[in-house]
Amino acid sequence: MTKSAAKKPTPPDLYLFLQMANIFAINRCSSSVYQRFIVQFNSTQRFNSLSSHVSKSRFIKLNNLRRNCSLSSDAAAPFIVADDEKYGNKQVISITPRLYDYILANAREPPILRQLREETANMRGSQMQVSPDQAQLLAMLVQILGAARCIELGVYTGYSSLAIALALPESGCLVACERDAKSLEVAKRYYELAGVSHKVSVKHGLAADVLKSMISNGETCSYDFAFVDAEKRMNQEYFELLLQLVRVGGVIVIDNVLWHGKVADPLVNDVKTVSIRNFNRNLMADDRVSISLVPIGDGMTICRKR
């Protein structure tokens, strides 16, 4: 080995390394991932070699995470402690596979939805389907609102739209927009099987075009609820159009606002991640709606029109 090859990493290298460790460990709370990183930094000598205050702070957080995260796959669910002291060191549950299995086991999923989910699992793009706990929340929001007129952007094979349609009254209507004809055929078949076809108005085409047509037809402020799970880079445009169509007091729900945790990772700056991050920032400053970001599934923001 050459002298240059044996040279210790510089503080910037260590800082980047710690960032990666922190991100991986927090996102996955994985003992194997954690151990591969922490073994490099578990000595006082390593800690003292970090020149910057920020690097040392990262080191401390990672060690705190080691104490909080279970190293056994059968142990109780770990928790994360909020970094900022002004949150009172709040302990927040980190969803592990074992805990998520428990959550799904306690989600009420009608047999027709389970059948659709299992069929979709074998299809291309199956990861786009919402989870049973998400579908249950959407259905409950529709019921709490007493919604009769709903919109969904991004149907895929129809799991979420079927959950919404089942929650609607017999006289209710769901406008379901999807650009992929093949997956839409699966959705229509399940609407028929579930006996809700009369509640669903299927729109094959681009979501923005459908919404603009509805506005032109004089349907503004006539919808109670909308769910957005379509092209992520279009979220802001969808939101602006839906604000025209949804009544005051109505609700708009946007899916994938956490984007697999990428929105919180400063090292990830692809087009979709940046667009979702910007959309989330815009929602925070938008006084036209009340909002609540719910860490369910891949993150859902519930917006109530003021």
Side-chain angles (χ1 to χ4, degrees):
M1 182 180 290
T2 63
K3 184 177 180 181
S4 60
K7 186 179 179 182
K8 290 184 178 180
T10 61
D13 293 331
L14 291 172
Y15 174 56
L16 179 59
F17 196 76
L18 283 166
Q19 278 189 311
M20 292 170 64
N22 201 31
I23 290 163
F24 281 132
I26 287 175
N27 285 347
R28 303 183 184 276
C29 207
S30 164
S31 60
S32 60
V33 171
Y34 174 80
Q35 287 170 332
R36 287 200 297 271
F37 283 105
I38 198 61
V39 71
Q40 303 293 326
F41 298 100
N42 60 0
S43 69
T44 303
Q45 182 180 1
R46 286 285 186 177
F47 177 77
N48 290 336
S49 72
L50 303 179
S51 60
S52 75
H53 172 74
V54 175
S55 294
K56 290 185 177 181
S57 175
R58 291 276 181 178
F59 182 92
I60 292 169
K61 289 176 185 177
L62 196 55
N63 273 282
N64 287 338
L65 186 65
R66 178 180 59 179
R67 290 193 292 270
N68 292 338
C69 284
S70 166
L71 297 183
S72 168
S73 60
D74 296 325
F79 60 87
I80 301 298
V81 179
D83 293 335
D84 197 323
E85 290 181 0
K86 67 173 174 278
Y87 293 114
N89 296 317
K90 176 67 177 176
Q91 295 179 2
V92 182
I93 287 293
S94 177
I95 303 299
T96 62
R98 182 183 180 187
L99 181 57
Y100 189 56
D101 285 343
Y102 181 84
I103 291 170
L104 293 182
N106 284 275
R108 295 178 179 177
E109 184 181 35
I112 189 66
L113 282 176
R114 182 182 301 116
Q115 182 181 335
L116 173 54
R117 173 171 56 80
E118 291 173 352
E119 178 176 333
T120 303
N122 299 315
M123 296 177 58
R124 180 176 176 272
S126 60
Q127 74 280 358
M128 294 189 294
Q129 182 174 253
V130 302
S131 55
D133 51 330
Q134 286 181 291
Q136 181 177 253
L137 176 59
L138 293 173
M140 178 171 282
L141 288 172
V142 168
Q143 292 169 331
I144 290 171
L145 276 171
R149 289 168 60 81
C150 302
I151 301 170
E152 177 171 288
L153 308 183
V155 172
Y156 186 44
T157 59
Y159 189 86
S160 52
S161 56
L162 182 54
I164 292 169
L166 288 169
L168 284 171
E170 281 300 304
S171 59
C173 174
L174 168 65
V175 177
C177 309
E178 174 58 51
R179 66 181 181 182
D180 182 69
K182 185 176 180 180
S183 60
L184 197 54
E185 287 303 312
V186 177
K188 289 193 288 186
R189 174 159 53 86
Y190 273 88
Y191 299 152
E192 189 69 33
L193 285 172
V196 297
S197 291
H198 62 290
K199 301 181 188 179
V200 185
S201 175
V202 174
K203 304 291 185 181
H204 177 217
L206 297 177
D209 293 341
V210 172
L211 296 180
K212 290 173 183 176
S213 176
M214 292 165 67
I215 292 170
S216 297
N217 290 338
E219 299 180 50
T220 55
C221 298
S222 66
Y223 287 86
D224 307 298
F225 179 86
F227 177 51
V228 181
D229 190 13
E231 171 53 54
K232 309 310 168 188
R233 289 173 291 184
M234 296 285 289
N235 275 350
Q236 191 66 50
E237 182 173 355
Y238 296 149
F239 182 71
E240 294 298 333
L241 293 169
L242 287 170
L243 273 181
Q244 298 179 57
L245 289 163
V246 171
R247 64 172 173 82
V248 172
V251 168
I252 302 170
V253 179
I254 302 96
D255 197 18
N256 303 111
V257 293
L258 295 181
W259 201 230
H260 319 300
K262 295 178 182 178
V263 290
D265 185 349
L267 301 179
V268 178
N269 290 291
D270 61 273
V271 175
K272 280 193 177 182
T273 301
V274 170
S275 67
I276 295 171
R277 193 180 288 144
N278 290 340
F279 175 70
N280 291 343
R281 186 183 301 113
N282 291 342
L283 271 186
M284 277 288 291
D286 197 330
D287 60 7
R288 296 173 296 176
V289 290
S290 302
I291 64 169
S292 179
L293 195 164
V294 184
I296 183 173
D298 193 27
M300 298 167 65
T301 298
I302 302 169
C303 308
R304 181 179 182 273
K305 182 177 176 180
R306 291 175 172 173

